[in-house]
């Protein structure tokens, strides 16, 4: 996290110089460097706030919820292995169907004797995986898989069939499987093993503080420790 803040400050310094020298910041490399610095700073800020969540372990209720959340994250990690395989399989299938349609358009010209390459929303690998990924959040329309040209009716029907099977496999079956796994993790912690797990994590946190003379908070909260240190020295 500290490295992220330092890197963002360095990028701000590097990217700010050409922007100040030129009138149009959108046409210089410094503009992109500033955007990258701001993104890196935002990510580091989120990580630093999440790092403070480790202090919830000492609370009886918050500690149990934190343990449940960590176990759920492990479930998501295990489920992502299966999901990745299914996702890549359907992405390659959809990409192959619609990219081959463009190949046929180039080989067999249209009615006026000229070759025509058709570009649609899912004719490339990048567009295919984005369409399938955002379909998990209901942001992909089935019309993206339709082809107006009647010559490629088989391609259109096959693409929509694969999209339907993908939604059933991943959204309907896969997501419910993940919910069941996460529910099982919560019940595991919520049962008689809650006190044991919470006590072990709380003791580990205490030992982390006990083994360090000066415990450093994540940036930018470490500034508070600097202020406290200066005040103690001035006494």
């Amino acid at each position: 996290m500290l490295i992220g803040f330092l890197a963002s400050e360095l990028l701000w310094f590097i990217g700010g110089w050409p922007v100040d020298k030129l009138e149009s910041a959108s046409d210089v490399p410094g503009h992109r460097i500033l955007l990258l610095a701001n993104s890196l700073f935002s990510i580091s800020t989120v990580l630093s706030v999440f790092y403070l969540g480790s202090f919830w372990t000492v609370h009886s209720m918050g500690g149990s919820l934190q343990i449940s959340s960590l176990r759920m994250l492990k479930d998501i990690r295990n489920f992502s292995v299966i999901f990745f395989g299914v996702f890549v399989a359907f992405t390659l299938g959809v990409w192959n169907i619609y990219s081959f349609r463009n190949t046929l358009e180039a080989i067999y010209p249209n009615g006026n004797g000229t070759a025509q390459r058709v570009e649609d929303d899912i004719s490339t690998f990048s567009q295919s995986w984005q369409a399938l990924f955002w379909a998990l959040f209901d942001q992909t329309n089935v019309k993206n898989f339709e082809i107006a040209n009647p010559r490629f009716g088989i391609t259109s029907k096959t693409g929509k069939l694969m999209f339907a099977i993908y939604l059933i496999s991943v959204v309907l079956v896969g997501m419910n499987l993940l919910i069941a796994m996460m529910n099982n993790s919560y019940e595991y912690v919520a049962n008689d093993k809650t006190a044991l797990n919470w006590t072990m994590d709380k003791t580990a946190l205490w030992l982390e503080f006990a083994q360090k003379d000066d415990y450093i908070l994540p940036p930018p909260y470490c500034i508070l420790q600097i202020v406290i240190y200066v005040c103690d020295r001035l006494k």
Side-chain angles (χ1 to χ4, degrees):
M1 290 175 291
L2 180 60
I3 296 177
F5 283 110
L6 293 177
S8 62
E9 292 291 341
L10 180 61
L11 291 176
W12 266 324
F13 176 77
I14 296 175
W17 184 81
V19 172
D20 294 337
K21 299 299 181 181
L22 299 177
E23 295 181 357
S24 179
S26 60
D27 298 332
V28 296
H31 177 72
R32 296 183 179 180
I33 296 178
L34 288 177
L35 294 178
L36 178 61
N38 184 63
S39 300
L40 188 59
F41 181 82
S42 301
I43 295 174
S44 301
T45 302
V46 173
L47 293 178
S48 63
V49 174
F50 271 106
Y51 184 79
L52 290 178
S54 60
F55 301 126
W56 298 343
T57 307
V58 298
H59 192 270
S60 58
M61 180 178 296
S64 301
L65 293 177
Q66 186 185 38
I67 296 174
S68 300
S69 300
L70 293 177
R71 290 184 62 88
M72 290 179 182
L73 290 177
K74 293 180 181 179
D75 292 335
I76 295 176
R77 180 195 61 187
N78 298 333
F79 175 78
S80 62
V81 177
I82 303 176
F83 168 77
F84 181 76
V86 176
F87 181 78
V88 171
F90 279 96
T91 300
L92 293 176
V94 171
W95 171 48
N96 181 71
I97 289 177
Y98 290 92
S99 62
F100 186 69
R101 190 277 304 269
N102 283 336
T103 303
L104 291 181
E105 283 284 353
I107 297 176
Y108 301 99
N110 54 14
N112 56 14
T114 60
Q116 180 182 8
R117 178 179 174 84
V118 180
E119 295 290 348
D120 49 42
D121 294 336
I122 50 178
S123 60
T124 64
F125 181 80
S126 176
Q127 294 168 340
S128 297
W129 77 260
Q130 291 184 47
L132 294 180
F133 176 79
W134 290 112
L136 299 175
F137 308 97
D138 196 23
Q139 298 298 318
T140 300
N141 198 321
V142 70
K143 293 183 179 180
N144 295 339
F145 297 83
E146 295 180 353
I147 301 177
N149 193 338
R151 295 170 55 192
F152 300 98
I154 297 178
T155 300
S156 178
K157 294 179 181 179
T158 305
K160 290 190 291 185
L161 177 62
M162 292 186 63
F163 183 59
I165 297 176
Y166 168 78
L167 293 179
I168 295 175
S169 302
V170 176
V171 178
L172 186 60
V173 179
M175 289 302 175
N176 283 279
L177 175 62
L178 178 60
I179 293 174
M181 295 171 59
M182 297 171 68
N183 184 52
N184 182 60
S185 297
Y186 178 78
E187 291 181 353
Y188 175 83
V189 177
N191 290 332
D192 297 335
K193 298 182 180 180
T194 302
L196 177 61
N197 292 328
W198 173 58
T199 303
M200 292 177 60
D201 287 356
K202 181 175 63 174
T203 304
L205 181 62
W206 286 346
L207 292 176
E208 184 178 357
F209 276 91
Q211 294 173 356
K212 293 183 179 180
D213 296 333
D214 296 323
Y215 191 81
I216 304 299
L217 291 174
Y221 308 106
C222 56
I223 299 177
L224 299 177
Q225 288 186 300
I226 298 176
V227 175
I228 296 175
Y229 175 78
V230 173
C231 293
D232 292 338
R233 298 290 293 181
L234 294 177
K235 290 182 180 180

